[in-house]
């Protein structure tokens, strides 16, 4: 095993570990913590906002950072091996947007919502929630594409195809909604899970049929 193979293996290992940390906490925030905050006593809520949420957000945002960094190493590898395809590109774009949502929308607004910095708490909380829901929406198809790209024959072989651009256009519209839109069907946990599965099916159909 040469040095490049070792780097590739370590990058894959790290990408998996950091990704589990990041997406696991994403699901925790959306599926568990949000519901708890609505039911908690004022004392418990205050304590959670002061101690629990900031600690979880630290692991969350740095998990996202190192998932991105190890992903870039893997992306360079597949590009060098000339096996980059539509599925990997769409998955990587979605993962990158999710990372940007964490650092540019969720974290800055959560600091306000949690009272760590001054600002309009309710408005900031709504912005953070919409971006977080969008990341949950993206997580299903992103994971599918990152796994399907290198492992399933015939998937995404038309690099730079019209289908790829159509899929990216859909993703772009959803990202714009994450910034200035509304939750829509993502208001509930059931709704965002269902939406993620539907989006996966739609994007797969686009890449296979367009």
């Amino acid at each position: 095993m040469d040095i490049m193979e070792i780097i590739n293996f370590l990058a894959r290992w790290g990408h998996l570990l950091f990704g589990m940390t990041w997406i696991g906490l994403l699901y925790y925030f959306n599926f568990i913590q949000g519901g708890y905050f609505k039911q908690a006593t004022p004392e418990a809520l205050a304590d959670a906002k002061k101690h629990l949420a900031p600690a979880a957000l630290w692991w969350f945002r740095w998990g996202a950072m190192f998932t991105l960094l190890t992903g870039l190493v893997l992306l360079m590898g597949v590009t060098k091996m000339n096996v980059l395809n539509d599925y990997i590109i769409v998955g990587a774009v979605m993962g990158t947007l999710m990372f940007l949502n964490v650092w540019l929308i969720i974290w800055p607004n959560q600091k306000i919502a949690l009272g760590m910095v001054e600002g309009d708490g309710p408005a900031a909380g709504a912005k953070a929630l919409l971006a977080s829901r969008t990341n949950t929406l993206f997580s299903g198809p992103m994971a599918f594409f990152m796994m399907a790209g290198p492992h399933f024959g015939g998937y995404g072989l038309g690099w730079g195809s019209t289908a790829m651009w159509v899929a990216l256009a859909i993703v772009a519209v959803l990202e714009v909604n994450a910034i200035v839109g509304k939750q829509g069907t993502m208001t509930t946990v059931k709704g965002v899970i269902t939406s993620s599965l539907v989006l996966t099916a739609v994007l797969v159909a686009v890449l296979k049929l367009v």
Side-chain angles (χ1 to χ4, degrees):
M1 180 178 290
D2 61 27
I3 186 63
M4 294 308 298
E5 290 177 327
I6 294 173
I7 292 174
N8 181 69
F9 173 78
L10 292 176
R12 289 182 182 277
W13 179 55
H15 195 60
L16 177 63
L17 289 178
F18 294 127
M20 287 191 298
T21 302
W22 177 18
I23 303 303
L25 283 166
L26 173 68
Y27 291 164
Y28 160 75
F29 288 134
N30 279 272
F31 303 161
I32 300 171
Q33 181 175 281
Y36 170 74
F37 276 14
K38 294 177 181 178
Q39 301 174 6
T41 63
E43 295 78 11
L45 180 60
D47 183 72
K49 285 186 174 182
K50 183 177 181 180
H51 298 105
L52 176 63
L57 283 165
W58 187 92
W59 287 97
F60 176 67
R61 66 182 186 275
W62 287 107
M65 175 65 76
F66 284 99
T67 301
L68 176 76
L69 294 177
T70 51
L72 290 174
V73 174
L74 295 177
L75 194 59
M76 288 187 291
V78 297
T79 302
K80 185 176 181 180
M81 292 185 291
N82 199 31
V83 293
L84 187 64
N85 59 41
D86 289 355
Y87 273 56
I88 296 174
I89 292 171
V90 175
V93 168
M94 296 181 82
T96 302
L97 290 174
M98 291 169 66
F99 163 81
L100 293 173
N101 286 342
V102 169
W103 279 90
L104 301 182
I105 302 177
I106 297 173
W107 173 233
N109 283 288
Q110 281 286 21
K111 286 192 291 185
I112 298 173
L114 294 172
M116 299 169 68
V117 298
E118 293 186 1
D120 186 341
K127 291 179 181 178
L129 179 58
L130 177 56
S132 185
R133 287 291 205 230
T134 302
N135 275 10
T136 306
L137 172 70
F138 283 170
S139 67
M142 180 274 297
F144 183 94
F145 293 158
M146 298 306 286
M147 294 179 67
H151 294 298
F152 286 84
Y155 275 18
L157 297 181
W159 191 95
S161 65
T162 300
M164 186 196 78
W165 292 110
V166 172
L168 289 177
I170 294 172
V171 171
V173 169
L174 293 172
E175 177 60 23
V176 170
N177 182 74
I179 300 171
V180 298
K182 298 180 179 180
Q183 291 184 46
T185 59
M186 300 184 292
T187 302
T188 65
V189 170
K190 180 180 179 180
V192 72
I193 292 174
T194 302
S195 297
S196 183
L197 295 175
V198 170
L199 179 60
T200 303
V202 169
L203 293 178
V204 169
V206 166
L207 290 184
K208 294 293 286 184
L209 300 177
V210 173

